[in-house]
Amino acid sequence: MADQRGEELLRGKATSPRATFLELFFDVAFVFALTRVSNRLVDDFTVERRVFLPEAGQTLLLLLALWMVWSLTTWTTSRYNPERPEIQLVVAGSMFASMVMAVSLPEAFDTRGLSFAIGYVAVQVGRPLFLTVAMRHHPERHVAGRILVWAVVSAVPWIAGALVHNDARGVFWTVAVIIDYGAARLGWPLPGRGRSPASSWPVTGEHLAERYQQFTIIALGEMILISGFGFSMSEFAAAQWVAFAITFASTALLWRIYFYRAGTVLVEAVAGSARPGRLAESATYTHLVMVAGIVAAAVGYELVIGHPGGHTDPAWLTVIIGGPALFVLGRARFEYEVFGRVSRSRLVGLVVLVAMVPLVIRLPPLAVGAATTAVLGGIAAADALRARGRPPEQPAPPI
């Protein structure tokens, strides 16, 4: 009976590969969470008496924690039937914990470290614990069990870090993130039981591909949100109107570059892959890079809208130019995952973005933002020219 109940919790062939409305509802929490990340990063660049690199490193740690929660929840709904009440409870609980993390995020390295850590540990430990109990004597319970063991291990530095202050918290949480990502990358190994990498799981690849597409839209939506808030609070000067226009253009270009054409055929690529789990696992890290690039770009253009004229702080170039460059780098790898090749326009655009840093450092932020947008426009135009008169390219994943 227990085996039958466990089998019912797993996705079957009759289960739709499409994301459920509850999963889309779960994503709403991350619209808010990414906005909190962006706002914190803006403060890292603008608040006086802050040292940029440590502050930006802290924000990166928090983003990595959020991504771990989202990606493992997504893999859970790709392996288990999201239409079952038990799995819906897991998703709802993960959403609440994500909201706790999001509201704590701006002060996570100050007064709200414990609430952030508790939210993270609760979902990372609670999810596999619930699944281990729910699967009971089913063979698949061992996968949730090994994830539970490593979640408990990483919970120690997460909670310990929340109980200390200043640089010590960053050290503990860095160790915790390394444990979480290292364990996932190695397949949550256990003595005498080997590994169980996510790439070997019998997941619904089409579902994972669709979820990555949806999260990319969330990140782009956050870019629109933060630029809209920034512009609405500005003086509506002519330069700020121009900054807002190029910000919108850059958002549209990032959307175009992602979806044309690898992002559009990702579902088909995963479905047609000999090892869909391995391709989906690789795409997890690739999308993390692209999402980080979009978040950084959103912060960069927010700075351009708020301070279009005057001198460009050299640190600002890490987001105004570095954000789009990071996205293009991730997008180049994404193209290889889907088609087994990388377009020359991606490489040229990346080289141009890096090479123009010393050339624009004396220009005002508005000019730097415009130059970055022009490079993105060049990449999108090259894509359109390459595809003109040719049949749509079909995916050929090398993985």
Side-chain angles (χ1 to χ4, degrees), residues 207-295:
H207 172 265
L208 284 172
E210 183 179 0
R211 296 294 286 133
Y212 294 142
Q213 293 170 332
Q214 290 164 351
F215 199 89
T216 303
I217 290 293
I218 289 172
L220 291 171
E222 182 273 337
M223 188 172 179
I224 290 177
L225 194 63
I226 191 172
S227 63
F229 277 132
F231 183 55
S232 66
M233 297 175 65
S234 71
E235 299 176 354
F236 272 44
Q240 289 166 328
W241 273 100
V242 175
F244 181 62
I246 65 173
T247 299
F248 179 81
S250 293
T251 306
L253 288 168
L254 291 174
W255 169 84
R256 166 72 180 184
I257 293 169
Y258 173 81
F259 279 102
Y260 193 84
R261 172 163 162 71
T264 302
V265 297
L266 177 59
V267 173
E268 290 83 352
V270 174
S273 175
R275 297 186 62 184
R278 185 179 177 188
L279 176 56
E281 182 185 30
S282 178
T284 298
Y285 299 103
T286 302
H287 279 76
L288 171 59
V289 173
M290 289 190 286
V291 167
I294 294 173
V295 171

Side-chain angles (χ1 to χ4, degrees), residues 10 13 17 38 68 76 78 81 109 113 120 124 127 145 159 168-169 195 206 270 318 323 337 361 363 365:
L10 295 172
K13 294 183 179 180
S38 296
M68 179 59 71
T76 298
S78 187
N81 186 355
F109 278 86
Y120 182 83
Q124 291 296 90
R127 184 198 308 110
I159 299 300
R169 179 172 297 174
R195 306 184 303 140
E206 300 95 315
V270 174
T318 60
E337 291 171 337
I361 194 169
L363 298 178

Side-chain angles (χ1 to χ4, degrees), residues 69 93-94 96-98 100-101 113-124:
V69 170
S94 300
F96 178 74
S98 301
V100 172
M101 293 170 62
L114 187 59
S115 61
F116 182 90
I118 289 176
Y120 182 83
V121 169
V123 66
Q124 291 296 90

Side-chain angles (χ1 to χ4, degrees), residues 15-32:
T15 305
S16 172
R18 301 300 302 273
T20 63
F21 290 117
L22 178 60
E23 291 174 271
L24 299 179
F25 182 51
F26 167 70
D27 287 347
V28 173
F30 285 84
V31 175
F32 175 67

Side-chain angles (χ1 to χ4, degrees), residues 43-355:
D43 289 342
D44 294 342
F45 283 98
T46 57
V47 175
E48 296 181 359
R49 297 184 298 278
R50 286 195 175 191
V51 182
F52 165 66
L53 285 178
E55 294 289 339
Q58 292 173 0
T59 304
L60 176 60
L61 279 176
L62 301 176
L63 176 61
L64 289 173
L66 287 169
W67 180 258
M68 179 59 71
V69 170
W70 183 87
S71 60
L72 283 183
T73 303
T74 296
W75 276 80
T76 298
T77 55
S78 187
R79 187 174 189 183
Y80 298 90
N81 186 355
E83 297 178 1
R84 293 283 302 184
E86 298 92 331
I87 306 305
Q88 292 175 346
L89 180 61
V90 170
V91 175
S94 300
M95 181 179 183
F96 178 74
S98 301
M99 287 296 296
V100 172
M101 293 170 62
V103 297
S104 306
L105 192 146
E107 301 297 328
F109 278 86
D110 193 3
T111 59
R112 297 179 181 174
L114 187 59
S115 61
F116 182 90
I118 289 176
Y120 182 83
V121 169
V123 66
Q124 291 296 90
V125 173
R127 184 198 308 110
L129 176 60
F130 180 90
L131 292 173
T132 301
V133 174
M135 297 299 289
R136 295 183 184 176
H137 300 295
H138 193 282
E140 293 293 327
R141 76 185 186 282
H142 295 298
V143 176
R146 67 172 62 241
I147 295 175
L148 174 61
V149 171
W150 279 101
V152 171
V153 171
S154 73
V156 175
W158 275 112
I159 299 300
L163 298 177
V164 297
H165 301 283
N166 301 324
D167 294 340
R169 179 172 297 174
V171 172
F172 275 109
W173 283 5
T174 299
V175 171
V177 167
I178 291 174
I179 291 174
D180 286 329
Y181 277 84
R185 192 70 184 88
L186 296 174
W188 296 278
L190 291 179
R193 294 191 177 184
R195 306 184 303 140
S196 179
S199 58
S200 66
W201 295 357
V203 296
T204 307
E206 300 95 315
H207 172 265
L208 284 172
E210 183 179 0
R211 296 294 286 133
Y212 294 142
Q213 293 170 332
Q214 290 164 351
F215 199 89
T216 303
I217 290 293
I218 289 172
L220 291 171
E222 182 273 337
M223 188 172 179
I224 290 177
L225 194 63
I226 191 172
S227 63
F229 277 132
F231 183 55
S232 66
M233 297 175 65
S234 71
E235 299 176 354
F236 272 44
Q240 289 166 328
W241 273 100
V242 175
F244 181 62
I246 65 173
T247 299
F248 179 81
S250 293
T251 306
L253 288 168
L254 291 174
W255 169 84
R256 166 72 180 184
I257 293 169
Y258 173 81
F259 279 102
Y260 193 84
R261 172 163 162 71
T264 302
V265 297
L266 177 59
V267 173
E268 290 83 352
V270 174
S273 175
R275 297 186 62 184
R278 185 179 177 188
L279 176 56
E281 182 185 30
S282 178
T284 298
Y285 299 103
T286 302
H287 279 76
L288 171 59
V289 173
M290 289 190 286
V291 167
I294 294 173
V295 171
V299 172
Y301 283 107
E302 163 72 4
L303 295 172
V304 172
I305 292 173
H307 311 275
H311 175 69
T312 300
D313 188 321
W316 292 10
L317 298 178
T318 60
V319 285
I320 299 176
I321 297 178
L326 185 61
F327 171 83
V328 173
L329 178 63
R331 181 58 178 76
R333 174 176 168 78
F334 182 44
E335 187 171 41
Y336 175 78
E337 291 171 337
V338 174
F339 294 115
R341 56 141 183 91
V342 178
S343 300
R344 184 180 303 174
S345 62
R346 307 274 183 269
L347 302 178
V348 172
L350 186 60
V351 170
V352 171
L353 286 171
V354 174

